[in-house]
Amino acid sequence: MENLHTEVMAKVMGTLQILTPREREVIRLLYLNEMTVEEIAAKMGVKKTRVYNLKSNALKVIKNNI
């Protein structure tokens, strides 16, 4: 089971490298820094809908590459 976890994490980390820098930033801020969409939008200087779009695109890429 630990090998499976390690393999999945390696795939996720590799997939993060093919995201755009802005998509990576949104994923990092949402899941690692636990910021809200509102906080991320303010930090990045974009509308909340843009953050949602970046998140959606990033998660599709991650899902399709794992």
Side-chain angles (χ1 to χ4, degrees):
M1 185 69 155
E2 188 173 317
N3 288 339
L4 177 61
H5 176 74
T6 302
E7 183 179 328
V8 170
M9 286 306 296
K11 286 184 179 182
V12 170
M13 297 306 288
T15 301
L16 291 177
Q17 299 308 310
I18 62 176
L19 298 177
T20 67
R22 292 184 74 93
E23 290 169 342
R24 255 194 317 276
E25 182 177 12
V26 166
I27 295 301
R28 180 180 59 80
L29 295 173
L30 274 170
Y31 296 106
L32 298 179
N33 293 29
E34 298 180 350
M35 292 175 69
T36 65
V37 169
E38 291 80 9
E39 292 169 329
I40 295 168
K43 178 177 178 62
M44 294 177 72
V46 298
K47 294 182 179 182
K48 291 188 304 184
T49 54
R50 181 67 179 135
V51 174
Y52 285 118
N53 288 337
L54 288 164
K55 174 188 171 188
S56 177
N57 291 342
L59 292 177
K60 283 179 192 173
V61 170
I62 292 168
K63 180 181 176 183
N64 290 333
N65 286 280
I66 293 183

